């Protein structure tokens, strides 16, 4: 059942086709911000802490941007609930990226360039999961 911001087309493949470009642009910008923040924090924090902070900061902005531009939800109504639900997607991304960092550190210690590559791969997987969670759960309607 579509919510007040969704049309019948939004729950079909046409809706996905309309939402994916906005989601992709927001994802690229969020990933760039995340990697920039991670690399800025990495000299002063360990990899896992830098990952946590960078991911948390960008996840809040990402959820807000996707709420408005990808899923067309405007106004404050439901914003807090959407952010809380977005935290589930954040934790999924944190699990993937933390696991990737742990794997890198276990197999290739002291390889910071490999950290960033592993985070890019983990972030790509988390992004696909995030789209599914946002579309089917967070912004699915009543």
């Amino acid at each position: 059942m579509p919510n007040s911001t969704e049309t019948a087309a939004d729950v079909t493949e046409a809706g996905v086709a309309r939402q994916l470009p906005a989601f992709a642009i927001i994802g690229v910008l969020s990933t760039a911000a995340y990697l920039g923040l991670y690399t800025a924090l990495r000299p002063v924090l360990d990899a896992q802490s830098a990952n946590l902070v960078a991911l948390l900061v960008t996840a809040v902005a990402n959820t807000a941007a996707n709420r408005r531009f990808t899923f067309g939800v405007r106004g404050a109504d439901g914003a807090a609930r959407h952010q809380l639900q977005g935290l589930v997607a954040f934790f999924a991304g944190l699990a993937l990226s933390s696991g990737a960092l742990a794997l890198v550190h276990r197999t290739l210690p002291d390889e910071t360039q490999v950290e960033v590559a592993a985070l890019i791969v983990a972030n790509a997987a988390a992004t696909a999961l995030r789209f599914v969670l946002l579309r089917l759960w967070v912004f699915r309607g009543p």
Side-chain angles (χ1 to χ4, degrees):
M1 173 73 70
N3 66 27
S4 61
T5 61
E6 275 183 326
T7 66
D10 288 330
V11 296
T12 67
E13 289 180 20
V16 172
R18 183 190 54 75
Q19 292 167 340
L20 275 176
F23 185 82
I25 291 167
I26 292 166
V28 167
L29 294 173
S30 294
T31 299
Y34 160 73
L35 291 172
L37 189 52
Y38 175 83
T39 56
L41 292 170
R42 188 59 178 94
V44 294
L45 296 174
D46 64 87
Q48 295 291 352
S49 298
N51 179 51
L52 172 67
V53 172
L55 198 59
L56 183 58
V57 168
T58 55
V60 171
N62 179 284
T63 299
N66 276 305
R67 181 178 192 268
R68 174 159 184 165
F69 299 109
T70 303
F71 299 101
V73 180
R74 289 174 174 65
D77 195 35
R81 178 178 49 82
H82 293 149
Q83 282 293 342
L84 287 173
Q85 289 173 305
L87 284 176
V88 171
F90 157 77
F91 283 116
L94 181 63
L96 288 167
S97 58
S98 295
L101 286 172
L103 181 63
V104 165
H105 292 147
R106 175 166 238 160
T107 57
L108 301 165
D110 301 325
E111 289 293 332
T112 20
Q113 293 90 358
V114 179
E115 284 179 7
V116 172
L119 289 173
I120 290 169
V121 171
N123 200 286
T127 297
L129 178 59
R130 182 171 188 74
F131 182 74
V132 170
L133 287 173
L134 291 177
R135 181 168 168 71
L136 299 179
W137 179 51
V138 178
F139 299 110
R140 71 173 161 73

